[in-house]
């Protein structure tokens, strides 16, 4: 991480953290990091790993809840809040999006560092309406909406087939 950040800049380094809920460790909830598509425990806590990644030069965290991924039951808001409070860099939530209500839940002030969310199949199967999502207002003044959603929808209409990041950063 440090080598990449020094060479290309922190803005070019996104650390992906795949985590599952684990038994509480006495200090509150614990989120265990996994590798190899969730099959190998990494003996790390997601919050601590996010802090370390930031200290090494990561410019953003892509946080996937393995427990929620593909379930269509909504994001793990508790895990997202824990990580977004622990770091000063942007966080992208992933895993579990079922509807626009899940995106709205992430607009809560607890997710101040949240920059976006991975939609996965929600755009493809019609659970997420890009036009409606594109009008969501953020509670923080510097983030007004997911500006890339309209572009993502246009890409899908043109035959694109990749997962889309709803990114809240302003267009430059």
């Amino acid at each position: 991480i440090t080598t990449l950040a020094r060479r290309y800049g922190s803005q070019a380094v996104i650390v992906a953290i795949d985590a599952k809920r684990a038994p509480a460790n006495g200090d509150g909830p614990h989120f265990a990091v996994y590798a190899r598509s969730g099959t190998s425990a990494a003996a790390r806590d997601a919050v601590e790993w996010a802090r370390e990644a930031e200290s090494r030069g990561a410019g953003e965290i892509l946080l996937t809840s393995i427990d929620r991924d593909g379930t269509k039951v909504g994001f793990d808001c508790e895990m997202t809040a824990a990580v977004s409070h622990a770091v000063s860099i942007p966080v992208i939530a992933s895993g579990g999006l079922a509807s626009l209500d899940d995106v709205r839940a992430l607009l809560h002030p607890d997710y101040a560092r949240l920059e976006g969310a991975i939609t996965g199949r929600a755009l493809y199967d019609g659970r997420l309406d890009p036009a409606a999502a594109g009008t969501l207002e953020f509670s923080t003044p510097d983030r007004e909406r997911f500006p890339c959603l309209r572009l993502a929808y246009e890409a899908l209409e043109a035959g694109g087939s990749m997962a889309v990041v709803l990114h809240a950063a302003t267009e430059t």
Side-chain angles (χ1 to χ4, degrees), residues 93-160:
S94 176
L97 185 126
S99 70
L100 189 56
D101 289 337
D102 297 325
V103 177
R104 282 189 189 99
L106 294 175
L107 300 181
H108 190 277
D110 282 350
Y111 312 112
R113 296 275 174 229
L114 189 73
E115 284 278 327
I118 302 291
T119 66
R121 296 179 189 223
L123 282 177
Y124 304 112
D125 63 19
R127 288 179 284 124
L128 182 64
D129 175 19
T135 64
L136 291 174
E137 295 291 326
F138 279 77
S139 59
T140 54
D142 60 331
R143 297 186 187 130
E144 297 177 0
R145 59 191 174 110
F146 291 109
C148 294
L149 187 57
R150 177 183 48 79
L151 299 174
Y153 184 66
E154 289 171 3
L156 287 171
E157 285 186 322

Side-chain angles (χ1 to χ4, degrees), residues 41-58:
R44 289 180 169 262
D45 175 73
V47 172
E48 292 304 317
W49 178 221
R51 285 183 183 135
E52 182 178 337
E54 178 181 29
S55 74
R56 290 180 176 205

Side-chain angles (χ1 to χ4, degrees), residues 25-70:
N25 59 8
D27 296 331
H30 174 65
F31 308 102
V33 175
Y34 281 75
R36 294 178 179 78
S37 300
T39 61
S40 178
R44 289 180 169 262
D45 175 73
V47 172
E48 292 304 317
W49 178 221
R51 285 183 183 135
E52 182 178 337
E54 178 181 29
S55 74
R56 290 180 176 205
E60 199 159 324
I61 301 292
L62 170 57
L63 180 65
T64 299
S65 168
I66 296 171
D67 298 316
R68 301 284 180 101
D69 201 28

